[in-house]
Amino acid sequence: MFFLQTQKTKEKRVQKTTRISPHAETHSSLPLDVYQYEDGVTIFAEIPGAILSDIHISIEGEHRIVIIEGVRTRPSLTEKEKMIGEREIISEECEWGSFYRRLVLPSPVSIQQATAKLVHGVLLLVLPFEQVSQTEDVAHRQR
């Protein structure tokens, strides 16, 4: 994992990883902005056309791997558009359908304290780091 310390904001940025999907050809990309703070990680993902119940978020691999997958649904045509019938496509840039994204985090995160919300097509994930107690820390160092 690569970190870039920015001078102005004192925030660490986690480098974007490539998506790994069992069906990569059927999933579209999911652009992410990922920021690491002292106490956790915040992830922003643009997911227009999705509702929170269409998005599945899992944390795996000793609480260090975040997987975001789901479906972006194209808005329905209006009655007028349905009546017109055939149309000429000028540009189609929006990605609709299923998406999948996997991201490896620098430290384990707390599943119990993680929050997710979708506001105006932007998913906001707040993932606080797990707090390691002093006893656990000493036990790990003795191994």
Side-chain angles (χ1 to χ4, degrees):
M1 189 57 54
F2 174 78
F3 294 94
L4 173 65
Q5 179 77 31
T6 60
Q7 294 290 336
K8 292 180 183 176
T9 62
K10 303 279 186 192
E11 296 175 350
K12 291 183 181 178
R13 287 200 143 166
V14 180
Q15 182 181 8
K16 185 166 92 170
T17 62
T18 57
R19 94 188 127 121
I20 300 170
S21 169
H23 308 287
E25 66 280 355
T26 62
H27 294 290
S28 64
S29 179
L30 182 64
L32 302 177
D33 288 342
V34 183
Y35 301 95
Q36 177 179 333
Y37 298 92
E38 185 177 311
D39 58 347
V41 173
T42 300
I43 299 173
F44 294 92
E46 294 179 358
I47 313 178
I51 57 175
L52 202 51
S53 62
D54 291 338
I55 302 168
H56 178 74
I57 303 162
S58 58
I59 300 173
E60 303 173 353
E62 297 180 358
H63 301 181
R64 292 192 63 208
I65 298 171
V66 175
I67 297 173
I68 305 169
E69 56 189 324
V71 178
R72 285 182 269 228
T73 306
R74 180 188 302 266
S76 326
L77 295 175
T78 65
E79 287 303 314
K80 183 178 179 182
E81 291 170 319
K82 288 179 186 176
M83 289 172 43
I84 294 171
E86 285 190 40
R87 61 187 183 274
E88 180 182 344
I89 298 171
I90 296 173
S91 175
E92 278 192 328
E93 297 179 8
C94 298
E95 293 187 25
W96 306 102
S98 63
F99 57 87
Y100 178 93
R101 188 64 189 268
R102 179 180 185 270
L103 178 72
V104 179
L105 300 174
S107 299
V109 294
S110 171
I111 295 173
Q112 293 77 22
Q113 295 178 349
T115 61
K117 64 181 176 179
L118 189 65
V119 180
H120 302 294
V122 178
L123 175 68
L124 168 62
L125 280 176
V126 178
L127 306 169
F129 290 133
E130 283 186 340
Q131 298 298 317
V132 179
S133 70
Q134 294 292 341
T135 307
E136 290 173 342
D137 198 27
V138 171
H140 288 173
R141 279 188 264 146
Q142 291 178 349
R143 290 185 183 173

